[in-house]
Amino acid sequence: ASGAPPRNLVRSFFFIRTRAVYTLASMAAEGQAPAASTDARFNKYSFDDFRKVCDDDAGWDVAYDQDNIKMWTKNNENSAVRCVKIRSFYSDLEPETIYDVLHDHYYRKEWDNNMIEGSIVEQMGGFEEVGYYAVKMPTMISNRDFCNYRTWRIIPDHNEWIIFNYSVPSDKCPERKGFVRGCSYLSGYLLRKREGGGTDFTLYTQNDPKGYLPTWVVNWAMTKVTPNMIGTLHANAIKYAEWKKDHKPEWKPWLAENGYDPREEPYKLYVAK
């Protein structure tokens, strides 16, 4: 369409969006409430807060509603970049599989061709980290990078799998020459098991690539990118079980009772430039 941003720019927004909600992960002990961090940077949102923004539709504008995908957008006073929320379901995928796909950084390298680098820069515990991610942008546009706090839980009482993140300052994650530092205000996934099988899927995100991109371009791109992500995630999740058989099939630290331990297998060694 005339006046629309170029397709390769939209593709880059897709990978920014998907990475903003991608994380290594682990599972909390059954019935255990998430412990509050002693560092104020990591107490901005709780799992209850994230669940609420996923479930509360008041004040949201419907931007897309077809093919079992519904998307809303909403203004937020913290930025001109709009919040985006999307709901869908997968009848042929269980939450456990999608959760694994979102966490397996070996598998991530198979399909995220826009990833320049990904690493953990600070590990606070088994279920929370600060991570660095750099993503390719189209020619003539500076590449972006992000420094995000990420946390994750399986919450048995609610039959939920949750991952969310937001950007934080960290002296272990300095800005780099040649990159524009983007900002995730809040992004994540809420997965719920459907009666009879399958997954109810909610994505919430407010993610600003910053720099000199006009806000209208960012908001437009996000409404085009997010529905496409549902199909991309589905296509990769369907292939995951077969791929995993030949790629460290027992390696799923996000399912360890005590969480992921980077001393055993540092993420930075395996997701490289």
Coordinates of all heavy atoms in Angstrom, one line a residue, residues 57-126:
D57 N -9.9 -6.3 29.1 CA -10.0 -5.7 27.8 C -10.6 -4.3 27.8 O -10.9 -3.7 26.8 CB -10.9 -6.6 26.9 CG -10.3 -8.0 26.7 OD1 -9.1 -8.1 26.8 OD2 -11.1 -8.9 26.4
A58 N -10.9 -3.8 29.0 CA -11.5 -2.4 29.1 C -10.5 -1.4 28.5 O -9.3 -1.3 28.9 CB -11.8 -2.1 30.6
G59 N -11.1 -0.5 27.7 CA -10.3 0.6 27.1 C -9.4 0.2 25.9 O -8.7 1.1 25.3
W60 N -9.5 -1.0 25.4 CA -8.7 -1.5 24.3 C -9.6 -1.3 23.0 O -10.8 -1.5 23.0 CB -8.3 -2.9 24.5 CG -7.3 -3.2 25.5 CD1 -7.5 -3.3 26.8 CD2 -5.9 -3.4 25.3 NE1 -6.3 -3.5 27.5 CE2 -5.3 -3.6 26.5 CE3 -5.1 -3.5 24.1 CZ2 -3.9 -3.9 26.7 CZ3 -3.8 -3.7 24.3 CH2 -3.2 -3.9 25.5
D61 N -8.9 -1.1 21.9 CA -9.5 -0.9 20.6 C -9.2 -2.2 19.8 O -8.0 -2.5 19.6 CB -9.0 0.3 19.8 CG -9.2 1.6 20.6 OD1 -10.3 1.7 21.2 OD2 -8.3 2.4 20.6
V62 N -10.2 -2.8 19.2 CA -10.0 -4.0 18.4 C -9.4 -3.5 17.0 O -9.9 -2.7 16.3 CB -11.3 -4.7 18.1 CG1 -11.1 -5.9 17.1 CG2 -11.9 -5.2 19.4
A63 N -8.2 -4.1 16.7 CA -7.5 -3.8 15.5 C -7.6 -4.9 14.4 O -7.3 -4.7 13.3 CB -6.1 -3.4 15.8
Y64 N -7.9 -6.1 14.9 CA -7.9 -7.3 14.0 C -8.7 -8.4 14.6 O -8.6 -8.6 15.8 CB -6.4 -7.8 13.8 CG -6.2 -8.9 12.8 CD1 -5.9 -8.7 11.5 CD2 -6.3 -10.2 13.3 CE1 -5.6 -9.7 10.6 CE2 -6.1 -11.3 12.4 CZ -5.8 -11.0 11.1 OH -5.5 -12.1 10.2
D65 N -9.6 -9.0 13.8 CA -10.4 -10.1 14.4 C -10.8 -11.0 13.2 O -11.8 -10.8 12.6 CB -11.6 -9.5 15.0 CG -12.5 -10.5 15.8 OD1 -12.0 -11.7 15.8 OD2 -13.5 -10.2 16.3
Q66 N -10.0 -12.0 13.0 CA -10.3 -13.0 12.0 C -9.4 -14.2 12.2 O -8.4 -14.2 12.8 CB -10.2 -12.5 10.6 CG -8.8 -12.0 10.2 CD -8.7 -11.4 8.8 OE1 -9.4 -10.4 8.6 NE2 -7.9 -11.9 7.9
D67 N -9.9 -15.4 11.6 CA -9.1 -16.6 11.6 C -8.6 -17.0 13.1 O -7.5 -17.4 13.3 CB -7.8 -16.5 10.7 CG -8.2 -16.2 9.3 OD1 -9.2 -16.7 8.8 OD2 -7.4 -15.4 8.6
N68 N -9.6 -16.9 14.0 CA -9.3 -17.3 15.4 C -8.2 -16.4 16.1 O -7.6 -16.8 17.0 CB -8.9 -18.7 15.5 CG -10.0 -19.7 15.1 OD1 -11.2 -19.4 15.3 ND2 -9.7 -20.7 14.4
I69 N -7.9 -15.2 15.5 CA -7.0 -14.3 16.1 C -7.7 -13.0 16.3 O -8.3 -12.4 15.4 CB -5.8 -14.1 15.1 CG1 -5.0 -15.4 14.8 CG2 -4.8 -13.1 15.7 CD1 -4.0 -15.3 13.8
K70 N -7.6 -12.5 17.5 CA -8.1 -11.2 17.9 C -7.0 -10.3 18.5 O -6.3 -10.8 19.4 CB -9.3 -11.3 18.8 CG -10.1 -10.0 19.0 CD -11.4 -10.3 19.7 CE -12.2 -9.0 19.8 NZ -13.5 -9.2 20.5
M71 N -6.9 -9.1 17.9 CA -5.9 -8.2 18.4 C -6.5 -6.9 18.8 O -7.4 -6.4 18.2 CB -4.8 -8.0 17.3 CG -3.7 -7.1 17.7 SD -2.4 -7.0 16.4 CE -3.3 -6.2 15.1
W72 N -5.9 -6.3 19.9 CA -6.3 -5.0 20.4 C -5.1 -4.1 20.5 O -4.0 -4.6 20.7 CB -6.9 -5.1 21.8 CG -8.1 -5.9 22.0 CD1 -9.4 -5.5 22.1 CD2 -8.2 -7.4 22.2 NE1 -10.3 -6.5 22.4 CE2 -9.6 -7.7 22.4 CE3 -7.3 -8.4 22.1 CZ2 -10.1 -9.0 22.6 CZ3 -7.8 -9.7 22.3 CH2 -9.1 -10.0 22.5
T73 N -5.3 -2.8 20.5 CA -4.3 -1.8 20.8 C -4.9 -0.8 21.8 O -6.1 -0.7 21.9 CB -3.8 -1.1 19.5 OG1 -4.9 -0.3 19.0 CG2 -3.3 -2.0 18.5
K74 N -3.9 -0.2 22.5 CA -4.3 0.7 23.5 C -3.2 1.7 23.8 O -2.0 1.4 23.7 CB -4.6 -0.1 24.8 CG -5.1 0.8 26.0 CD -5.3 -0.1 27.2 CE -5.9 0.7 28.4 NZ -6.1 -0.2 29.6
N75 N -3.6 3.0 24.0 CA -2.7 4.0 24.4 C -2.2 3.8 25.8 O -2.9 3.3 26.6 CB -3.3 5.4 24.2 CG -3.5 5.8 22.8 OD1 -2.7 5.4 21.9 ND2 -4.5 6.6 22.6
N76 N -1.0 4.2 26.1 CA -0.4 4.1 27.4 C 0.3 5.4 27.7 O 1.1 5.9 26.8 CB 0.5 2.9 27.6 CG 0.8 2.6 29.0 OD1 1.1 3.5 29.8 ND2 0.8 1.3 29.4
E77 N 0.2 6.0 28.9 CA 0.8 7.3 29.1 C 2.3 7.2 29.2 O 3.0 8.3 29.1 CB 0.3 7.8 30.5 CG 0.6 6.9 31.7 CD 0.0 7.5 33.0 OE1 -0.9 8.3 32.9 OE2 0.4 7.0 34.0
N78 N 2.9 6.1 29.3 CA 4.4 6.0 29.4 C 5.1 6.2 28.0 O 6.3 6.3 28.0 CB 4.8 4.7 30.0 CG 4.4 3.4 29.2 OD1 4.0 3.5 28.1 ND2 4.6 2.3 29.8
S79 N 4.3 6.1 26.9 CA 4.9 6.2 25.6 C 3.9 6.4 24.5 O 2.7 6.0 24.7 CB 5.7 4.9 25.3 OG 6.2 4.9 23.9
A80 N 4.3 7.0 23.4 CA 3.4 7.2 22.2 C 3.2 5.8 21.5 O 2.3 5.7 20.7 CB 3.9 8.2 21.3
V81 N 4.1 4.9 21.7 CA 4.0 3.6 21.2 C 2.9 2.8 21.9 O 2.9 2.7 23.1 CB 5.3 2.8 21.3 CG1 5.1 1.3 20.8 CG2 6.4 3.5 20.5
R82 N 1.9 2.3 21.1 CA 0.7 1.7 21.7 C 1.0 0.3 22.2 O 1.9 -0.4 21.7 CB -0.4 1.6 20.6 CG -0.8 2.9 20.0 CD -2.1 2.9 19.4 NE -3.2 3.2 20.3 CZ -4.5 2.9 20.2 NH1 -4.9 2.3 19.1 NH2 -5.4 3.2 21.1
C83 N 0.3 -0.1 23.2 CA 0.3 -1.5 23.7 C -0.5 -2.3 22.7 O -1.4 -1.9 22.1 CB -0.4 -1.6 25.0 SG 0.2 -0.5 26.3
V84 N 0.0 -3.6 22.5 CA -0.7 -4.5 21.6 C -1.0 -5.8 22.4 O -0.1 -6.3 23.1 CB 0.2 -4.8 20.4 CG1 -0.4 -5.9 19.5 CG2 0.5 -3.6 19.6
K85 N -2.2 -6.3 22.2 CA -2.5 -7.6 22.9 C -3.2 -8.5 21.8 O -4.0 -8.0 21.0 CB -3.5 -7.3 24.0 CG -4.0 -8.6 24.7 CD -4.6 -8.3 26.1 CE -5.8 -7.4 26.0 NZ -6.4 -7.2 27.3
I86 N -2.8 -9.7 21.8 CA -3.4 -10.6 20.9 C -3.8 -11.9 21.6 O -3.1 -12.4 22.4 CB -2.4 -10.9 19.7 CG1 -3.1 -11.7 18.6 CG2 -1.2 -11.6 20.2 CD1 -2.3 -11.7 17.3
R87 N -4.9 -12.5 21.2 CA -5.4 -13.8 21.7 C -5.7 -14.7 20.6 O -6.2 -14.3 19.5 CB -6.7 -13.6 22.6 CG -6.4 -13.0 23.9 CD -7.6 -13.3 24.9 NE -7.5 -12.4 26.0 CZ -8.5 -11.4 26.2 NH1 -9.5 -11.3 25.4 NH2 -8.3 -10.6 27.2
S88 N -5.4 -15.9 20.8 CA -5.7 -17.0 19.8 C -5.7 -18.3 20.6 O -5.6 -18.4 21.8 CB -4.6 -17.0 18.7 OG -5.0 -17.9 17.7
F89 N -5.8 -19.4 19.8 CA -5.6 -20.7 20.5 C -5.0 -21.7 19.4 O -5.1 -21.5 18.2 CB -7.0 -21.3 21.0 CG -8.0 -21.6 19.9 CD1 -8.0 -22.8 19.3 CD2 -8.9 -20.6 19.5 CE1 -8.9 -23.1 18.3 CE2 -9.8 -20.9 18.5 CZ -9.9 -22.1 17.9
Y90 N -4.4 -22.7 20.0 CA -3.8 -23.8 19.2 C -4.5 -25.1 19.6 O -4.3 -25.5 20.7 CB -2.3 -23.9 19.4 CG -1.5 -22.7 19.1 CD1 -0.8 -22.0 20.0 CD2 -1.4 -22.3 17.7 CE1 -0.1 -20.8 19.7 CE2 -0.6 -21.2 17.4 CZ 0.0 -20.4 18.4 OH 0.8 -19.4 18.1
S91 N -5.3 -25.7 18.7 CA -6.0 -26.9 19.1 C -5.1 -28.1 19.1 O -5.4 -29.1 19.7 CB -7.2 -27.1 18.1 OG -6.7 -27.2 16.8
D92 N -3.9 -28.0 18.3 CA -3.0 -29.1 18.2 C -1.7 -29.0 18.9 O -0.8 -29.7 18.7 CB -2.7 -29.4 16.7 CG -2.2 -28.1 16.0 OD1 -2.2 -27.0 16.6 OD2 -1.8 -28.2 14.8
L93 N -1.6 -28.0 19.8 CA -0.4 -27.8 20.6 C -0.7 -27.6 22.1 O -1.6 -26.8 22.4 CB 0.4 -26.6 20.1 CG 1.1 -26.7 18.7 CD1 1.6 -25.3 18.3 CD2 2.3 -27.7 18.9
E94 N 0.0 -28.3 22.9 CA -0.2 -28.1 24.4 C 0.7 -27.0 24.9 O 1.7 -26.7 24.3 CB 0.0 -29.4 25.1 CG -0.9 -30.5 24.7 CD -2.4 -30.2 25.0 OE1 -2.7 -29.7 26.1 OE2 -3.2 -30.4 24.1
P95 N 0.3 -26.4 26.0 CA 1.1 -25.3 26.6 C 2.6 -25.8 26.9 O 3.5 -25.0 26.7 CB 0.4 -24.9 27.9 CG -1.0 -25.3 27.7 CD -1.0 -26.6 26.8
E96 N 2.7 -27.0 27.3 CA 4.1 -27.5 27.6 C 5.0 -27.4 26.4 O 6.2 -27.0 26.5 CB 4.0 -29.0 28.1 CG 3.3 -29.2 29.4 CD 1.8 -29.4 29.3 OE1 1.2 -29.1 28.2 OE2 1.2 -29.9 30.2
T97 N 4.5 -27.7 25.2 CA 5.3 -27.6 24.0 C 5.6 -26.2 23.6 O 6.8 -25.9 23.3 CB 4.6 -28.3 22.8 OG1 4.3 -29.7 23.1 CG2 5.4 -28.2 21.5
I98 N 4.7 -25.3 23.7 CA 4.9 -23.9 23.4 C 5.9 -23.3 24.3 O 6.8 -22.5 24.0 CB 3.6 -23.1 23.4 CG1 2.6 -23.7 22.3 CG2 3.8 -21.6 23.1 CD1 1.2 -23.1 22.4
Y99 N 5.7 -23.6 25.6 CA 6.7 -23.2 26.6 C 8.1 -23.6 26.3 O 9.0 -22.8 26.4 CB 6.2 -23.7 28.0 CG 6.7 -23.1 29.2 CD1 6.4 -21.8 29.6 CD2 7.5 -23.8 30.1 CE1 6.9 -21.2 30.8 CE2 8.0 -23.3 31.3 CZ 7.7 -22.0 31.6 OH 8.1 -21.4 32.8
D100 N 8.3 -24.8 26.0 CA 9.6 -25.3 25.6 C 10.2 -24.6 24.4 O 11.3 -24.2 24.4 CB 9.5 -26.8 25.3 CG 9.3 -27.7 26.5 OD1 9.4 -27.2 27.6 OD2 9.1 -28.9 26.3
V101 N 9.4 -24.4 23.4 CA 9.8 -23.7 22.2 C 10.3 -22.2 22.5 O 11.3 -21.8 22.0 CB 8.7 -23.6 21.1 CG1 9.1 -22.7 20.0 CG2 8.5 -25.0 20.6
L102 N 9.6 -21.6 23.4 CA 9.9 -20.2 23.8 C 11.2 -20.1 24.6 O 11.8 -19.1 24.7 CB 8.8 -19.6 24.5 CG 7.5 -19.4 23.8 CD1 6.3 -18.9 24.7 CD2 7.7 -18.4 22.6
H103 N 11.6 -21.3 25.2 CA 12.7 -21.3 26.1 C 14.0 -21.9 25.5 O 15.1 -21.6 26.0 CB 12.4 -22.0 27.4 CG 11.3 -21.4 28.2 ND1 11.3 -20.0 28.4 CD2 10.3 -21.9 28.9 CE1 10.3 -19.8 29.2 NE2 9.6 -20.9 29.5
D104 N 13.8 -22.7 24.5 CA 15.0 -23.5 24.0 C 15.8 -22.6 23.1 O 15.5 -22.4 21.9 CB 14.5 -24.7 23.3 CG 15.6 -25.7 23.1 OD1 16.8 -25.3 22.9 OD2 15.3 -26.9 23.1
H105 N 17.0 -22.1 23.6 CA 17.8 -21.2 22.8 C 18.5 -21.9 21.7 O 18.9 -21.3 20.7 CB 18.7 -20.4 23.7 CG 19.7 -21.2 24.5 ND1 19.5 -21.4 25.8 CD2 20.8 -21.8 24.2 CE1 20.5 -22.1 26.3 NE2 21.3 -22.4 25.3
Y106 N 18.7 -23.2 21.8 CA 19.3 -24.0 20.7 C 18.3 -24.0 19.5 O 18.7 -23.8 18.4 CB 19.6 -25.4 21.1 CG 20.7 -25.6 22.1 CD1 20.4 -25.7 23.4 CD2 22.0 -25.7 21.6 CE1 21.5 -25.9 24.4 CE2 23.0 -25.8 22.6 CZ 22.8 -25.9 23.9 OH 23.8 -26.1 24.8
Y107 N 17.1 -24.2 19.8 CA 16.1 -24.2 18.7 C 15.9 -22.8 18.2 O 15.6 -22.6 17.0 CB 14.7 -24.7 19.3 CG 13.7 -25.1 18.2 CD1 14.1 -25.8 17.1 CD2 12.4 -24.6 18.3 CE1 13.1 -26.2 16.1 CE2 11.5 -24.9 17.3 CZ 11.9 -25.7 16.3 OH 10.9 -26.0 15.3
R108 N 16.0 -21.8 19.0 CA 15.9 -20.4 18.5 C 16.8 -20.1 17.4 O 16.5 -19.4 16.4 CB 16.1 -19.4 19.7 CG 16.0 -18.0 19.3 CD 14.6 -17.5 19.3 NE 14.4 -16.2 18.8 CZ 13.2 -15.5 18.9 NH1 12.2 -16.1 19.4 NH2 13.1 -14.3 18.4
K109 N 18.0 -20.6 17.5 CA 19.0 -20.3 16.4 C 18.6 -21.0 15.1 O 19.2 -20.6 14.1 CB 20.4 -20.9 16.9 CG 21.0 -20.1 18.0 CD 22.4 -20.5 18.3 CE 22.6 -21.9 18.7 NZ 24.0 -22.2 19.0
E110 N 17.7 -21.9 15.1 CA 17.3 -22.6 13.9 C 16.4 -21.7 13.0 O 16.4 -21.9 11.8 CB 16.5 -23.9 14.2 CG 17.4 -24.9 14.9 CD 18.4 -25.5 14.0 OE1 18.1 -25.9 12.9 OE2 19.6 -25.7 14.4
W111 N 15.7 -20.8 13.6 CA 14.7 -20.0 12.8 C 14.8 -18.5 13.0 O 14.2 -17.8 12.2 CB 13.3 -20.5 13.2 CG 12.9 -20.4 14.6 CD1 13.1 -21.3 15.6 CD2 12.1 -19.3 15.2 NE1 12.6 -20.8 16.8 CE2 11.9 -19.6 16.5 CE3 11.6 -18.2 14.7 CZ2 11.2 -18.8 17.4 CZ3 10.8 -17.3 15.5 CH2 10.7 -17.7 16.9
D112 N 15.5 -18.0 14.0 CA 15.6 -16.5 14.1 C 16.9 -16.0 13.4 O 18.0 -15.9 14.0 CB 15.7 -16.2 15.6 CG 15.7 -14.7 15.8 OD1 15.8 -13.9 14.8 OD2 15.6 -14.2 17.0
N113 N 16.8 -15.8 12.1 CA 17.9 -15.4 11.3 C 18.3 -13.9 11.5 O 19.3 -13.5 11.1 CB 17.6 -15.6 9.8 CG 17.4 -17.0 9.4 OD1 18.1 -17.9 10.0 ND2 16.5 -17.3 8.5
N114 N 17.4 -13.2 12.2 CA 17.7 -11.8 12.5 C 18.5 -11.6 13.8 O 18.9 -10.5 14.1 CB 16.4 -11.0 12.5 CG 16.0 -10.6 11.1 OD1 16.1 -11.4 10.2 ND2 15.5 -9.4 11.0
M115 N 18.7 -12.6 14.6 CA 19.4 -12.5 15.8 C 20.9 -12.3 15.6 O 21.5 -13.2 14.9 CB 19.2 -13.8 16.7 CG 19.8 -13.6 18.1 SD 19.5 -15.0 19.2 CE 20.5 -16.3 18.4
I116 N 21.5 -11.3 16.1 CA 22.9 -11.1 16.0 C 23.6 -11.7 17.2 O 24.6 -12.3 17.1 CB 23.2 -9.5 15.9 CG1 22.6 -8.9 14.7 CG2 24.7 -9.3 16.0 CD1 22.7 -7.4 14.6
E117 N 23.0 -11.5 18.4 CA 23.6 -12.0 19.6 C 22.5 -12.1 20.7 O 21.6 -11.3 20.7 CB 24.7 -11.1 20.1 CG 25.4 -11.6 21.4 CD 26.5 -10.6 21.9 OE1 26.9 -9.7 21.2 OE2 26.9 -10.9 23.0
G118 N 22.7 -13.1 21.6 CA 21.8 -13.2 22.7 C 22.6 -13.8 23.9 O 23.4 -14.7 23.7
S119 N 22.4 -13.3 25.1 CA 23.2 -13.8 26.2 C 22.5 -13.4 27.5 O 21.8 -12.4 27.6 CB 24.6 -13.3 26.2 OG 24.7 -11.9 26.3
I120 N 22.8 -14.1 28.5 CA 22.5 -13.7 29.9 C 23.6 -12.9 30.4 O 24.8 -13.2 30.3 CB 22.3 -14.9 30.8 CG1 21.0 -15.7 30.4 CG2 22.2 -14.5 32.3 CD1 20.8 -17.0 31.2
V121 N 23.3 -11.7 31.0 CA 24.3 -10.8 31.5 C 24.3 -10.8 33.0 O 25.2 -10.4 33.7 CB 24.2 -9.4 30.9 CG1 24.4 -9.4 29.4 CG2 22.9 -8.7 31.3
E122 N 23.2 -11.2 33.6 CA 23.0 -11.2 35.1 C 22.0 -12.3 35.4 O 20.8 -12.2 35.0 CB 22.6 -9.8 35.5 CG 22.6 -9.6 37.0 CD 22.3 -8.2 37.4 OE1 22.3 -7.3 36.6 OE2 22.2 -7.9 38.7
Q123 N 22.3 -13.2 36.3 CA 21.4 -14.2 36.7 C 21.1 -14.0 38.2 O 22.0 -14.2 39.1 CB 22.0 -15.6 36.5 CG 21.0 -16.8 36.8 CD 20.1 -17.0 35.6 OE1 20.5 -16.8 34.4 NE2 18.9 -17.5 35.8
M124 N 19.9 -13.7 38.5 CA 19.5 -13.4 39.9 C 19.1 -14.6 40.7 O 19.1 -14.7 41.9 CB 18.4 -12.3 40.0 CG 18.9 -10.9 39.7 SD 19.2 -10.7 37.9 CE 17.5 -10.8 37.3
G125 N 18.5 -15.6 39.9 CA 18.0 -16.8 40.6 C 17.7 -17.8 39.5 O 17.9 -17.5 38.3
G126 N 17.1 -18.9 39.9 CA 16.7 -19.9 38.9 C 15.6 -19.5 37.9 O 15.4 -20.1 36.9

